[in-house]
Amino acid sequence: SSGINAEYGEVQKAGKFPSGITTIPFEFPLRAKSNRPLYDSYHGVFISVQYTLHAELRRGLLNKPTLKHLEFIVEGEKVPKNGEQPSIPFTITPQSLENIREVKSVPNFKISGVLDRAICDIEEPLSGNITVEHSAKPIKSIELQLVRVETCGCAEGYAKDATEIQNIQIAEGDVMRGLAIPIHMIFPRLFTCVTTATNNFKIEFEVNVVIVLQDDHLITENFPIKLYRPKS
């Protein structure tokens, strides 16, 4: 936990309010400390970036002050769009899988597809398609998993953890062979942000394509992606 911004100010001098509702307008500049940028609002597991307003109404000597806290959302600096972004074509076979001791123990299959972009506009859905060319065993489900990879630490050492943000099912049952199944995933607000790297922490994202066979055997392929927020 580290404070990157702090502003304090009095919005109304001492006195009495008239009966009824009183509205007090206020504003203040949102500035980061120590020449840091303002990072995107983000709610993670090990890293969170939050901006909150703390309002205090001080009453008479015999009354406790009234406190109210409210979080507001900040979207960081936008960057220019760099034309066409590269797509990620993929082919998954028993031979392409990692961490497999014996390829013979894996049923024969071939799954191909494409993710339309490796560098993704956070305000646009992740898109693409996936096709089951052939599979020796029936398919139970095809899923798309969005993963956050959080790294935090200091000069003494860093800790890196990957956790699931969301998992959506894009196909159910033993799908038709050769059929291109569309991929469409919206990046959830607050639980994602632009890909961020600082001296003390990093927030990165990955997508897993998961094929579940009828016997609950899992086939997984991992794709690192980069999120950014373009200028309009």
Side-chain angles (χ1 to χ4, degrees):
S1 176
S2 175
I4 62 172
N5 183 64
E7 296 283 345
Y8 303 94
E10 185 179 64
V11 297
Q12 179 68 39
K13 295 186 179 299
K16 288 186 177 181
F17 289 127
S19 59
I21 297 174
T22 300
T23 301
I24 304 171
F26 70 91
E27 64 178 14
F28 61 88
L30 193 60
R31 293 188 292 254
K33 296 191 299 185
S34 306
N35 297 319
R36 296 183 185 180
L38 289 171
Y39 303 115
D40 275 18
S41 294
Y42 169 73
H43 291 187
V45 176
F46 303 101
I47 299 171
S48 288
V49 180
Q50 294 177 268
Y51 300 86
T52 56
L53 283 174
H54 297 256
E56 180 181 12
L57 175 63
R58 296 176 182 173
R59 301 186 291 174
L61 294 175
L62 301 179
N63 296 305
K64 292 183 178 180
T66 300
L67 303 173
K68 182 71 175 179
H69 307 296
L70 177 68
E71 181 179 4
F72 61 95
I73 308 302
V74 170
E75 294 181 352
E77 184 180 0
K78 298 183 178 182
V79 298
K81 208 167 189 176
N82 294 324
E84 290 296 320
Q85 301 297 341
S87 61
I88 312 176
F90 61 88
T91 300
I92 311 172
T93 63
Q95 291 74 26
S96 71
L97 297 177
E98 298 180 357
N99 302 320
I100 298 295
R101 293 182 180 178
E102 293 185 14
V103 176
K104 294 180 180 179
S105 65
V106 180
N108 190 29
F109 66 88
K110 182 180 179 183
I111 296 164
S112 61
V114 62
L115 296 179
D116 290 337
R117 291 176 300 278
I119 304 174
C120 305
D121 179 349
I122 194 171
E123 297 175 355
E124 297 290 334
L126 175 71
S127 59
N129 64 76
I130 184 169
T131 302
V132 179
E133 305 288 353
H134 63 80
S135 176
K137 288 194 174 182
I139 290 173
K140 183 178 180 180
S141 175
I142 300 177
E143 299 168 3
L144 199 65
Q145 182 185 48
L146 180 62
V147 175
R148 63 171 78 84
V149 182
E150 298 172 321
T151 305
C152 50
C154 55
E156 287 75 21
Y158 287 83
K160 184 175 181 179
D161 290 278
T163 53
E164 179 185 300
I165 298 174
Q166 67 180 10
N167 189 312
I168 62 172
Q169 186 182 61
I170 58 176
E172 182 180 9
D174 196 19
V175 300
M176 182 185 297
R177 307 304 187 252
L179 176 67
I181 301 167
I183 291 173
H184 186 93
M185 175 186 277
I186 295 173
F187 297 110
R189 197 172 189 181
L190 287 183
F191 299 107
T192 56
C193 65
V194 298
T195 299
T196 304
T198 75
N199 292 333
N200 301 110
F201 69 90
K202 289 198 297 184
I203 306 171
E204 300 166 296
F205 299 93
E206 299 175 350
V207 170
N208 290 330
V209 173
V210 182
I211 296 93
V212 186
L213 300 181
Q214 205 70 270
D215 59 1
D216 290 329
H217 191 109
L218 295 182
I219 301 166
T220 304
E221 189 78 0
N222 176 266
F223 303 95
I225 59 172
K226 182 177 181 180
L227 302 184
Y228 77 108
R229 180 172 284 106
K231 290 182 178 178
S232 49

